[in-house]
Amino acid sequence: MQPLYELTIHELNGLLKKKEIKSVDITKSYIDRIKKIDPVINSYLSIDPERAMDDAKMADTVIEKTSDGDFPELTGIPLSIKDIYLMKDTKTTCASKILENFNSPYDSTVIKKLKENNFVFLGKTNMDEFAMGSSTENSAFKITKNPWDTSRVPGGSSGGSAAGVSAGLCAGSFGTDTGGSIRQPASLCGVVGLKPTYGIISRYGIIAFSSSLDQAGPIAKDVLDCAILLKSVAGYDKNDHTSRKFEIKDYPELVRKAGKSIIKGLKIGFPVEFFSEGLEKDVYKKIMDVKELFKDLGAQTIDISLPDTSYSIAAYYVIATSEASSNLERYDGIRYGYRFIDDKNKTGDLNELFVNSRTKGFGKEVKRRIMLGTFALSAGYYDAYYKKASLVRKLIIKNYKDAFNKVDMIAGPTSPTAAFLIGEKMIDPLSMYLSDIYTISINLAYLPAMSIPVGITGENSSSASKLPVGMQIIAPWLAEDKMLCVAKVIEDTVGFAEKYKPPLHESFFDEGKGRTADMADRSANIK
Amino acid sequence: MGKNIDIVNVMKLAKLNFEEAEIAGFDAELNKILDYINMLSAANTSKLEGLHEDLDYDAVVGHMSKTQSIPLLRQDAEEEKEADVCATGGFDFNVVKNDAPEFEPDEPDSDRGYFIVPAVIE
């Protein structure tokens, strides 16, 4: 039998329903796996095995009490959570030194809903500090490795979550996506990631980076799991003033029913701007293979244009940094955790306390973005930068409106390249920003989109790295149901999960046994 | 556009401080990013007004699914406003709790639920 950590949420749920296994068995399997593998991958910032086992026992009690298997699908399922979600009595650091000792005073709405579903909490995952980055290298605490090649990044900012799902360190995870932070790491780690329409998952209790762009979403092993996770947390929340009243569909049920016939007659748009300069050859090839697949399944593939795509990164880095500079004003050295006190020189005024705490507490990329945003909002520059970027955002929305009048769904690559090397883009921030070229405009337009793995690079070469390639599917506003169904058919037809697995061989971990065992002990102590 | 960032001034506004040596690095990086951002001036936005989009999805979703027009920001229903308890705004009171020292006994410094900060007035 396959180890439990390899199974999907829906498979585990099936076994729990039949009472063939217990949640404590699943949870134990994950904890063992984490102790063994995570010292190499560094998916987690904190784990709490005791709490996880307690959650599992509680879930088992719920399962035992229900006779007909009528318990929520997430009952007894071990999940990891990006360290940006507040969860009462756990540390929420946002991978920042400035929040290193910050204890969450309350539950975010997402966590509240997951608790109502009796989920098992494994731990908090690593990320770029304040979700600012595309590689998880901006974490103040550790660098997460890509399970497909540990010399490479897992993407970011939800890199810990994506690497964890990919390496079997959790059954699923929740991340956040401001400019691609769910979809790009999902693509680089060969898993499924979904960024829903702005407003359908409550942002209440999620640490804010850029409030008009931030959106929570699931990262999962397959499309059906993604649908299960989405359904369990979506919905209107009066505590989030950008939350939206809408009809939550039964996404898992729709996905289960989705057959090849749903593709027939669909118009799928391929934006020419997504296939331009900078797109890696193998990525291009894999996306073209899926384009052919769409045709075989009876879809009409149409080349479309999103003419203002080239402005999206520039507009994004004005809007996101402006909002960030304002959102991050609250870290003043007084109200949250970290305060810098100059022991030698106890004088100094309140202003120095602000400046010193922020300067020592924030990492380099965060400071860079606060500076850029402060500049864009400063007197004399507001019209030229913030206002202009907001108007360009309208152009981008119009591009998508026009496109969705012609096609039902849009498809293309999620990221221009497969996973890049650790350190490769850290020297040049702009090159890092450009790696989000295909994902950013979706956030600007409040649209839903997801990434699914469709192939592997370097297939015809013995030396080249074998790295996953993700395809992005973009749907009209609130059409998550249709997007998931299309993704499911492509997933079934491509059969990625059956063909490929990250090369996490047992020997890989045995070789460095001393080091790994030592680190495993350390990580087990993190709490 | 095409202006350079006055690092020292922005640093003050952002309540950050960089060492002399760091300033040069930040200056070069930020101005490179700004050069890139300046491409926005080429975008034709002359026919557009207002900063925020009131998204009307009717025309867009069209044949996909019929939904009502949805404004970007939530419109409060009257009855809901009344139902919300003003005293707490319907929030978990822990959210606005400012006595973090209860959670962190060591720092920030606190006294009887107040934060201790350096003197503002001499």
Side-chain angles (χ1 to χ4, degrees):
Chain A
M1 193 183 144
Q2 256 179 307
L4 292 175
Y5 64 76
E6 281 190 3
L7 302 182
T8 59
I9 295 172
H10 55 91
E11 285 166 345
L12 291 170
N13 176 250
L15 292 173
L16 286 170
K17 271 186 181 165
K18 283 191 254 165
K19 309 214 164 160
E20 283 179 21
I21 52 165
K22 282 179 178 283
S23 174
V24 289
D25 305 326
I26 306 170
T27 307
K28 180 100 192 356
S29 167
Y30 276 108
I31 292 170
D32 291 347
R33 176 81 172 165
I34 291 167
K35 284 186 179 166
K36 186 167 183 191
I37 306 284
D38 204 43
V40 177
I41 301 296
N42 281 332
S43 156
Y44 285 93
L45 281 178
S46 57
I47 58 164
D48 193 343
E50 255 174 63
R51 182 178 186 146
M53 289 309 285
D54 287 347
D55 285 355
K57 281 174 203 154
M58 289 249 295
D60 282 332
T61 316
V62 171
I63 293 167
E64 218 146 279
K65 277 185 195 159
T66 43
S67 50
D68 50 356
D70 189 25
F71 50 85
E73 275 172 293
L74 289 181
T75 303
I77 304 293
L79 303 177
S80 67
I81 306 290
K82 186 178 184 178
D83 205 14
I84 195 167
Y85 289 85
L86 298 197
M87 178 163 166
K88 201 170 165 56
D89 303 327
T90 68
K91 274 184 185 164
T92 304
T93 69
C94 241
S96 179
K97 201 180 161 194
I98 213 157
L99 287 175
E100 192 170 0
N101 294 310
F102 176 66
N103 275 303
S104 324
Y106 65 100
D107 278 334
S108 52
T109 300
V110 168
I111 295 291
K112 188 171 155 259
K113 289 191 173 187
L114 291 176
K115 282 184 175 173
E116 286 162 7
N117 281 272
N118 318 304
F119 88 121
V120 173
F121 171 70
L122 283 173
K124 296 286 202 63
T125 56
N126 198 20
M127 55 187 281
D128 284 298
E129 184 179 359
F130 285 104
M132 297 178 184
S134 315
S135 68
T136 314
E137 290 165 289
N138 291 328
S139 166
F141 304 118
K142 46 168 80 165
I143 291 179
T144 301
K145 313 279 172 61
N146 191 313
W148 295 78
D149 177 349
T150 51
S151 66
R152 291 173 188 272
V153 303
S157 66
S158 313
S161 292
V165 172
S166 166
L169 303 171
C170 56
S173 190
F174 277 93
T176 55
D177 190 318
T178 305
S181 285
I182 286 174
R183 291 158 287 154
Q184 185 254 18
S187 170
L188 269 47
C189 291
V191 293
V192 180
L194 186 148
K195 181 251 165 212
T197 308
Y198 183 81
I200 83 163
I201 296 180
S202 169
R203 292 184 298 110
Y204 177 69
I206 298 173
I207 295 175
F209 157 20
S210 176
S211 307
S212 80
L213 300 159
D214 293 346
Q215 195 41 207
I219 296 178
K221 289 175 185 170
D222 68 6
V223 174
L224 179 53
D225 278 6
C226 219
I228 293 170
L229 292 168
L230 176 65
K231 192 195 162 199
S232 64
V233 301
Y236 171 74
D237 177 13
K238 71 178 167 57
N239 287 341
D240 174 357
H241 275 253
T242 56
S243 178
R244 176 168 283 159
K245 279 183 175 149
F246 71 105
E247 183 199 350
I248 310 172
K249 307 240 170 77
D250 192 346
Y251 306 113
E253 189 54 27
L254 290 164
V255 166
R256 281 193 177 96
K257 280 192 203 144
K260 285 184 178 174
S261 59
I262 61 151
I263 303 287
K264 208 168 176 179
L266 270 191
K267 290 178 187 152
I268 311 285
F270 286 78
V272 289
E273 290 80 7
F274 284 20
F275 294 89
S276 58
E277 210 185 331
L279 181 60
E280 197 178 312
K281 215 171 141 193
D282 275 2
V283 175
Y284 173 79
K285 210 182 141 288
K286 289 294 154 194
I287 303 299
M288 284 299 127
D289 287 350
V290 182
K291 193 177 178 182
E292 286 308 310
L293 210 72
F294 269 121
K295 281 186 202 160
D296 295 345
L297 291 165
Q300 210 182 325
T301 58
I302 303 169
D303 288 334
I304 56 164
S305 176
L306 300 167
D308 297 303
T309 299
S310 60
Y311 297 123
S312 58
I313 289 185
Y316 174 89
Y317 276 93
V318 172
I319 292 167
T321 59
S322 296
E323 292 183 12
S325 76
S326 163
N327 273 327
L328 270 58
E329 268 172 19
R330 73 192 68 181
Y331 305 106
D332 53 8
I334 293 176
R335 287 169 296 172
Y336 305 92
Y338 183 80
R339 173 187 290 192
F340 178 77
I341 295 159
D342 191 348
D343 279 335
K344 283 183 219 149
N345 182 6
K346 284 223 185 235
T347 56
D349 59 13
L350 189 60
N351 191 56
E352 269 178 52
L353 170 68
F354 292 153
V355 172
N356 285 334
S357 301
R358 288 166 65 79
T359 302
K360 308 271 182 204
F362 288 132
K364 200 164 183 201
E365 179 61 24
V366 175
K367 286 191 259 192
R368 195 180 283 132
R369 295 200 193 189
I370 291 174
M371 290 288 286
L372 198 59
T374 306
F375 169 76
L377 293 177
S378 64
Y381 298 99
Y382 177 87
D383 279 0
Y385 291 100
Y386 184 75
K387 191 176 171 194
K388 183 73 182 180
S390 298
L391 292 173
V392 169
R393 183 176 192 169
K394 286 189 155 189
L395 284 183
I396 289 164
I397 293 171
K398 190 167 182 306
N399 284 181
Y400 277 108
K401 277 187 179 175
D402 293 346
F404 282 124
N405 279 324
K406 290 183 207 128
V407 297
D408 300 301
M409 207 94 35
I410 297 173
T414 306
S415 166
T417 64
F420 44 91
L421 291 166
I422 291 169
E424 190 182 329
K425 297 192 179 186
M426 283 301 271
I427 35 163
D428 182 3
L430 189 58
S431 76
M432 186 77 89
Y433 297 175
L434 294 176
S435 69
D436 293 333
I437 177 84
Y438 306 136
T439 49
I440 264 176
S441 60
I442 285 91
N443 298 72
L444 289 171
Y446 310 97
L447 287 162
M450 64 189 292
S451 178
I452 54 166
V454 293
I456 224 103
T457 62
E459 263 182 324
N460 303 320
S461 152
S462 55
S463 58
S465 285
K466 308 272 183 287
L467 301 167
V469 174
M471 186 179 75
Q472 182 172 225
I473 305 172
I474 308 161
W477 294 274
L478 300 174
E480 278 82 359
D481 51 341
K482 277 151 190 118
M483 177 171 80
L484 281 159
C485 290
V486 169
K488 169 70 173 164
V489 175
I490 296 300
E491 178 182 72
D492 285 348
T493 320
V494 171
F496 180 89
E498 289 85 58
K499 285 186 206 154
Y500 311 104
K501 254 185 202 174
L504 292 169
H505 307 299
E506 297 291 313
S507 60
F508 174 72
F509 294 93
D510 292 340
E511 275 167 29
K513 215 168 187 174
R515 183 177 141 266
T516 309
D518 169 55
M519 288 174 75
D521 287 344
R522 266 178 41 214
S523 72
N525 286 331
I526 305 172
K527 201 172 166 180
Chain B
M1 290 211 189
K3 294 141 190 155
N4 279 355
I5 296 185
D6 175 356
I7 293 284
V8 177
N9 183 39
V10 177
M11 202 167 81
K12 273 185 204 151
L13 291 172
K15 298 235 182 288
L16 290 170
N17 188 33
F18 304 120
E19 305 286 325
E20 284 289 326
E22 271 181 304
I23 289 181
F26 260 98
D27 195 42
E29 278 168 7
L30 285 173
N31 281 306
K32 188 178 168 191
I33 296 167
L34 201 63
D35 277 346
Y36 179 83
I37 286 172
N38 283 335
M39 72 151 77
L40 288 177
S41 59
N44 182 4
T45 53
S46 58
K47 285 181 189 149
L48 299 170
E49 274 175 16
L51 295 189
H52 295 289
E53 188 82 0
D54 198 14
L55 289 176
D56 176 357
Y57 296 154
D58 256 1
V60 186
V61 204
H63 50 293
M64 291 293 294
S65 63
K66 286 276 175 207
T67 49
Q68 72 280 32
S69 159
I70 306 154
L72 172 59
L73 293 180
R74 176 169 71 105
Q75 312 280 301
D76 278 333
E78 280 307 312
E79 70 274 22
E80 197 182 335
K81 274 183 195 163
E82 282 165 28
D84 264 352
V85 184
C86 291
T88 65
F91 283 77
D92 177 342
F93 204 69
N94 279 321
V95 177
V96 286
K97 205 168 181 175
N98 243 351
D99 52 349
E102 190 186 303
F103 298 93
E104 291 303 320
D106 306 327
E107 59 175 342
D109 294 336
S110 74
D111 185 7
R112 283 158 285 179
Y114 293 96
F115 293 103
I116 299 173
V117 299
V120 182
I121 305 164
E122 291 296 324

